[in-house]
Amino acid sequence: MRAIERIVVRAPNWLGDAVLSLPAVRDVRRNFPGARMEVLARPWVAPLYGSVGEVDAVRESRSVRADADTLRGAFDAAVLLPNSFASALSMWRAGIPERWGFATDLRRPLLTRGPRVPASVRGRSQVYYYRAMLEGVGLDVSTEADPSLRCPDDWAAQGASRLGAERAPWIGLNPGAFFGSAKRWVPERYAAAGELLARSMAARVAILGGADERPLGEAIAAAMRAPARMLCGETTLPELVGVLSRLRLLVTNDSGPMHVAAALGVPVVAVFGPTDWRETAPVGRRHRLLREPVHCAPCMLRECPIDHRCMTRISVDRVVDEARALLDEA
Ligand code: SF4
């Protein structure tokens, strides 16, 4: 094999997966300390990798053809974190000599190293899925996984600007989830939990989410007596990271912001329903994961076909008590 002096890591497409890929990105750096390492990422997650010190540069992924054109002749090796055929095809079309990733989605012929997904990663955090792939292609992953994220100063300033000049501590509520309504805890309970926590902590509440989640955020704000800062659809990724970095506490569903906050070291109370808590739990030590052990979970469905008991059986008091216990620990 030729010397690897320039290496590109194709990043996962979703924010939560991107956060959980950070240990693998650092593993690649440790294996190739003198190489130039770039990350190819979809535009909505690309800024995240720009904040990681181990990464030399970030390129935006647009399409198979555009990616192949921009990568041609620029790299000796490509590491594919997504499982998709398209991610391997772009590296193959770019003529990158070494192409490494799991042999998924019928792409084995496009890879120069393509191990199968080992059974040992089932039921473990996505962090170990990515690291198992690196181990399978022959890289050393023996050091402890480092999932941390540092908020750059200018992002923290942008977050502070979004929250405003008030000096009170902030609690974040993240009531949405892109995957579907089944992942959402009950909106009225978000409002009640936010109200109780804000009162006991003398804190203000910020409601986070995307533009599509704004009606949901507004309904929660309307159900609260204290005014809440509505940020749904108003933050870029750097601003969102900046806001999260300034929170005293985040109450959230299983979502990308949950992973970002946990990686930043912000205390997180995460309410889980239909998704697999073993694979997508937040990383780090400052979080509490709440779930109800119903027989049908994890169903991985977008919409609940029955009565949404995995979420409706989680009470406001339980969330508030966990949040207080977590903050007492901190
Ligand atoms: S089927 Fe069960 S686990 Fe799935 S969303 Fe409904 S209550 Fe939750």
Side-chain angles (χ1 to χ4, degrees):
M1 183 180 73
R2 64 194 283 177
I4 305 295
E5 295 174 353
R6 304 163 303 169
I7 191 162
V8 60
V9 178
R10 175 62 166 87
N13 292 336
W14 300 106
L15 181 57
D17 292 340
V19 173
L20 297 178
S21 79
L22 295 181
V25 170
R26 293 185 171 114
D27 288 329
V28 175
R29 164 54 73 210
R30 272 193 292 275
N31 278 268
F32 300 99
R36 177 171 180 80
M37 184 176 75
E38 298 191 20
V39 170
L40 178 72
R42 302 295 275 169
W44 49 89
V45 294
L48 188 84
Y49 293 97
S51 72
V52 177
E54 289 85 353
V55 175
D56 293 314
V58 181
R59 300 182 188 219
E60 292 191 353
S61 170
R62 301 284 177 184
S63 66
V64 169
R65 177 178 293 183
D67 291 352
D69 288 346
T70 189
L71 300 176
R72 189 165 294 116
F75 295 99
D76 305 309
V79 175
L80 305 175
L81 298 180
N83 289 324
S84 66
F85 184 86
S87 62
L89 182 60
S90 59
M91 302 301 174
W92 180 80
R93 286 177 66 160
I96 296 175
E98 292 289 331
R99 302 174 300 278
W100 304 337
F102 274 137
T104 48
D105 205 19
L106 302 177
R107 66 185 187 173
R108 180 65 187 91
L110 301 176
L111 304 173
T112 55
R113 298 184 194 179
R116 292 182 186 279
V117 179
S120 59
V121 301
R122 308 271 180 230
R124 297 189 75 198
S125 167
Q126 191 76 7
V127 165
Y128 300 102
Y129 185 89
Y130 297 131
R131 296 190 99 201
M133 186 274 287
L134 298 183
E135 190 170 27
V137 303
L139 303 192
D140 173 35
V141 293
S142 58
T143 56
E144 192 175 345
D146 177 3
S148 64
L149 184 66
R150 191 190 72 81
C151 180
D153 292 345
D154 57 327
W155 293 14
Q158 290 174 44
S161 167
R162 279 286 170 197
L163 289 170
E166 291 159 81
R167 300 183 73 84
W170 285 91
I171 298 167
L173 303 180
N174 184 48
F178 285 134
F179 181 72
S181 67
K183 278 174 79 173
R184 297 178 177 175
W185 191 42
V186 186
E188 298 76 27
R189 297 186 192 176
Y190 263 105
E195 190 95 42
L196 283 167
L197 288 165
R199 206 177 309 146
S200 65
M201 294 166 62
R204 294 286 316 278
V205 171
I207 302 178
L208 313 175
D212 291 348
E213 293 153 345
R214 195 168 179 96
L216 172 66
E218 286 174 343
I220 291 170
M224 297 176 63
R225 271 168 293 186
R229 178 82 78 235
M230 171 56 55
L231 293 176
C232 293
E234 296 191 1
T235 50
T236 61
L237 179 56
E239 288 171 336
L240 173 64
V241 176
V243 167
L244 290 168
S245 75
R246 301 188 73 85
L247 298 180
R248 185 70 57 86
L249 171 74
L250 177 69
V251 182
T252 178
N253 301 326
D254 178 13
S255 64
M258 172 192 79
H259 288 292
V260 173
L264 289 167
V266 173
V268 170
V269 173
V271 186
F272 269 63
T275 49
D276 192 336
W277 62 96
R278 297 161 299 189
E279 295 184 0
T280 58
V283 293
R285 294 188 182 86
R286 303 182 76 191
H287 67 265
R288 294 287 180 104
L289 194 153
L290 285 184
R291 53 176 289 270
E292 186 68 17
V294 293
H295 75 280
C296 46
C299 70
M300 305 303 291
L301 296 174
R302 290 174 183 269
E303 314 294 333
C304 181
I306 51 174
D307 59 2
H308 210 199
R309 65 189 64 178
C310 62
M311 286 296 195
T312 56
R313 290 184 184 175
I314 296 176
S315 68
V316 172
D317 285 347
R318 203 169 142 199
V319 168
V320 169
D321 288 349
E322 289 289 347
R324 287 179 176 150
L326 176 63
L327 293 169
D328 284 349
E329 266 175 24

